[in-house]
Amino acid sequence: MALAIGAVLLQAQPEDDRDIIHTVDSGDTLISIAHAYGVTLDQLLSLNELHPEALLQIGQRLLVIRAPAFAEAADGEPAPESGESGESSESAELVGGDVASGDLPPAPVAEADAPMRDPADIRPQLCFTVFEDHNQNGLMEPNERPLTNAAIRVLDTADVEQLRYMTDGAAEPYCERRLERALYTIEGSAPPGFGMTSAARLRIDLRNGGLVKLEFGARRDLETASVPPPAGDMGGDDRMSESPRSLLRELSGLFALGLAAVVFFSGMAVSLFIWWR
């Protein structure tokens, strides 16, 4: 089949530089001829007024492609004659010959309306909400509304406050776009009469820019459990202030005990002295 198709391509003979004619050779079929020239079987049959079961004769000449000046469109309407438009005449000149790429007009280039953005220019954006967490799952659901009078603080790595915000229940989620690319700590405080149902202090990384969204949950009449300080830090200031007094009490007890021992042994010595006499 590959040899047959190659033979079909080699036997194509242009007629008066417009129509492309194929001379039938041994092994050719209507389907192989149509496939070799990139046309459909119906087009080949229509151009040559042949029946699908027609027998081909060796040496028979078949019209494969008709020049645009004489071709008919697929819907049966004749194509415009040569000279009616510059495009048709130009197409008629190109059929049957070799076309260099330099002879073709350049393809149109469409420019994008949206400008390209450098990822380095994307500033960080921090958005947050404090909401009433009815089921205490820490997730803001459609029936849970933002709360008023909740406090949000944003601190840098040196614990210097960079942002303080009080919620009003209407402008949330609030988005801050003035932060620099850095590491931050964000603290959420529940309104009066509420307790936090989610973490109240979070570390966030804005070094790569982009959008970070945080939601703090709180519930009415909920007491937030306080985390006791480490054992090494418990009552550090009180211990330091009471340490001198504790030491003084211990020394006073030792002094009293020593004084009692001195009095006791002194009495014993006096008693023995009197007895020996």
Side-chain angles (χ1 to χ4, degrees):
M1 179 62 72
L3 293 176
I5 293 176
V8 168
L9 292 174
L10 292 174
Q11 292 170 2
Q13 298 176 359
E15 185 173 282
D16 61 23
D17 293 333
R18 287 179 298 203
D19 292 346
I20 294 182
I21 306 298
H22 174 76
T23 303
V24 178
D25 198 359
S26 176
D28 288 348
T29 64
L30 291 172
I31 295 179
S32 66
I33 296 172
H35 179 73
Y37 288 93
V39 299
T40 65
L41 179 61
D42 291 338
Q43 290 175 339
L44 183 63
L45 296 175
S46 176
L47 287 173
N48 295 275
E49 298 181 357
L50 293 175
H51 190 271
E53 299 180 359
L55 297 177
L56 299 179
Q57 305 266 343
I58 296 178
Q60 181 179 353
R61 294 166 59 82
L62 296 178
L63 176 61
V64 179
I65 298 177
R66 178 172 292 174
F70 306 99
E72 292 183 356
D75 56 2
E77 297 181 1
E81 295 293 335
S82 178
E84 289 184 3
S85 66
E87 183 178 356
S88 298
S89 60
E90 181 181 358
S91 300
E93 294 175 358
L94 294 178
V95 172
D98 296 332
V99 180
S101 59
D103 298 333
L104 298 176
V109 178
E111 296 184 358
D113 296 334
M116 298 295 292
R117 298 185 63 183
D118 186 350
D121 296 334
I122 301 177
R123 295 187 61 83
Q125 183 176 353
L126 175 63
C127 299
F128 46 80
T129 306
V130 181
F131 67 95
E132 187 171 6
D133 191 5
H134 296 292
N135 55 10
Q136 303 185 49
N137 64 351
L139 302 175
M140 187 173 183
E141 298 176 354
N143 62 331
E144 296 174 338
R145 60 181 180 83
L147 291 173
T148 60
N149 299 324
I152 296 292
R153 297 175 66 227
V154 179
L155 311 173
D156 60 16
T157 53
D159 285 338
V160 177
E161 185 178 284
Q162 299 296 319
L163 172 68
R164 178 185 290 268
Y165 179 80
M166 293 295 296
T167 64
D168 58 11
E172 287 79 39
Y174 173 79
C175 295
E176 177 61 46
R177 301 177 176 85
R178 294 171 297 179
L179 296 173
E180 298 295 331
R181 293 168 175 255
L183 294 171
Y184 294 95
T185 300
I186 181 168
E187 295 179 348
S189 300
F194 286 79
M196 300 295 291
T197 61
S198 59
R201 183 180 175 93
L202 299 172
R203 294 293 300 273
I204 55 177
D205 188 350
L206 298 180
R207 290 176 295 182
N208 295 325
L211 173 63
V212 176
K213 298 178 66 176
L214 300 176
E215 295 173 345
F216 295 92
R219 185 177 177 180
R220 189 181 300 274
D221 300 328
L222 178 67
E223 294 184 2
T224 304
S226 59
V227 179
D233 297 334
M234 293 183 60
D237 296 337
D238 294 339
R239 188 178 67 252
M240 292 297 295
S241 60
E242 292 188 2
S243 179
R245 285 180 288 180
S246 299
L247 181 60
L248 181 60
R249 285 196 297 267
E250 293 176 0
L251 292 176
S252 299
L254 292 176
F255 178 77
L257 182 61
L259 182 60
V262 171
V263 171
F264 174 77
F265 286 111
S266 298
M268 290 291 294
V270 171
S271 299
L272 289 174
F273 178 76
I274 294 174
W275 182 77
W276 280 108
R277 291 194 58 155

